[in-house]
Amino acid sequence: MLAGKRILVTGGGTGLGKVMAESYLRHGATVYIWGRRGGVLQDTADELMQAHGGQVIPQPVDIRDPQAIEAAVDEIFSEAPLDGLVNNAAGNFVSRTKDLSHRGFNAIASIVFHGSFYTTLDIGKRWIELGRPGSIISILTTWVWTGSPFVVPSSMSKAGLNSMTQSLAVEWGPHGIRLNAIAPGPFPTEGAWARLNPGTEGREDDQLDPTANPMMRVGKMSELANLALFLMSDGCDYLTGQTIAIDGAQHLANSGSFWRMVSLSDQDWEDMRNMIQQSNAADKAKRTT
């Protein structure tokens, strides 16, 4: 389905990004994966190529840095142009908004909002200059429609990318460039859940509680990968400017994923903040080893 295609997946070393990269590889694409941890990217590339053959090229890139993006895309296009981009790199944590610092807000917005736009702009301009079509998928959340308490930096940033998807679908449509987005519901990944649901296992506000979903379950990674594959394929060339929810209708039944947290005490928030800091420290230790 994707034979001969060249696709970049930001945040492609772990979680949803890794799942999508694997699906693209299995269907014939050459896949580039970006992330800040070079060792993780290399391990993922080796694992996927050993399992499926093909070519996965890891590139350590911090998408908060426009110059780093430009250098990495120069390297890719020096061989051949890309055909697709998946804006998947993200960051998030739960916090009462009144407890946020400017640095805390920017830690999320610089990756999700600025980084995704920088990457989209760099690659989109090259496609326009070359007269080539392309497909861009951004991984959002259903918060772009409902908002969500306690994750305001992410909610605001994802809403901005939703607007980017709609706006550039029109502006870049004459150039054959399509932009769509996926808004996943609960697809549990280790890294994200450590920051979004610290210490909530077994409690009624646990986002993994299947009874909170009309379909009585969480999402399967293969289901999200199938949607990402469809949106990247040539079979839907007339589909653009759309954000598609894949969440078992959860956002229609429950407005805002974290609303139950309004009942937490100051001590609960302090305990959760400590858990998030411990998770961040563990991740930082991995990046330096």
Side-chain angles (χ1 to χ4, degrees):
M1 186 180 295
L2 298 178
K5 301 285 189 181
R6 294 160 59 82
I7 300 170
L8 166 62
V9 181
T10 69
T14 60
L16 302 181
K18 179 179 178 180
V19 170
M20 290 184 287
E22 181 175 24
S23 179
Y24 293 147
L25 179 68
R26 288 178 55 233
H27 287 85
T30 295
V31 184
Y32 291 82
I33 53 175
W34 284 7
R36 285 185 285 170
R37 294 183 286 173
V40 171
L41 293 175
Q42 188 63 61
D43 289 345
T44 294
D46 292 343
E47 176 188 338
L48 297 184
M49 287 189 290
Q50 183 175 0
H52 307 292
Q55 192 171 20
V56 180
I57 298 108
Q59 289 183 306
V61 178
D62 185 344
I63 65 169
R64 297 173 298 182
D65 181 355
Q67 292 180 326
I69 291 171
E70 182 178 5
V73 178
D74 278 344
E75 183 178 336
I76 295 173
F77 274 66
S78 67
E79 298 180 4
L82 286 168
D83 298 285
L85 162 67
V86 180
N87 289 313
N88 172 71
N92 200 7
F93 58 86
V94 291
S95 172
R96 293 181 295 191
T97 305
K98 72 182 185 69
D99 295 333
L100 280 174
S101 65
H102 296 98
R103 290 181 61 187
F105 181 89
N106 287 334
I108 305 305
S110 61
I111 299 172
V112 179
F113 184 64
H114 294 280
S116 296
F117 175 72
Y118 296 154
T119 307
T120 296
L121 181 62
D122 190 291
I123 293 171
K125 287 195 300 184
R126 295 171 195 254
W127 284 337
I128 292 170
E129 290 169 2
L130 293 171
R132 291 182 60 93
S135 178
I136 298 171
I137 301 170
S138 295
I139 305 302
L140 308 183
T141 66
T142 56
W143 312 334
V144 302
W145 300 302
T146 65
S148 188
F150 308 117
V151 286
V152 169
S154 175
S155 182
M156 291 174 63
S157 298
K158 296 286 190 180
L161 293 185
N162 186 52
S163 179
M164 180 191 78
T165 296
Q166 296 171 323
S167 301
L168 291 183
V170 177
E171 186 175 339
W172 288 357
H175 301 285
I177 300 172
R178 298 188 298 115
L179 290 97
N180 291 290
I182 299 173
F187 284 80
T189 60
E190 181 180 353
W193 245 253
R195 294 168 180 78
L196 295 178
N197 292 272
T200 61
E201 294 82 358
R203 287 173 19 185
E204 66 174 0
D205 58 348
D206 187 352
Q207 296 299 306
L208 297 183
D209 180 3
T211 64
N213 189 288
M215 295 192 74
M216 305 297 287
R217 66 177 178 87
V218 297
K220 300 175 182 177
M221 294 294 192
S222 59
E223 294 170 324
L224 186 139
N226 288 340
L227 178 55
L229 177 64
F230 169 70
L231 290 175
M232 192 60 72
S233 73
D234 293 334
C236 60
D237 278 348
Y238 203 49
L239 176 58
T240 189
Q242 302 304 305
T243 296
I244 301 172
I246 179 168
D247 71 339
Q250 181 163 319
H251 78 285
L252 299 176
N254 304 286
S255 178
S257 299
F258 298 96
W259 67 269
R260 294 179 184 176
M261 289 183 174
V262 296
S263 62
L264 296 182
S265 67
D266 288 345
Q267 187 59 54
D268 289 332
W269 280 107
E270 181 64 26
D271 292 343
M272 291 169 63
R273 186 159 43 246
N274 290 335
M275 292 177 191
I276 292 170
Q277 289 173 349
Q278 291 171 8
S279 177
N280 288 340
D283 272 357
K284 184 176 182 181
K286 290 179 182 178
R287 288 199 296 268
T288 57
T289 56

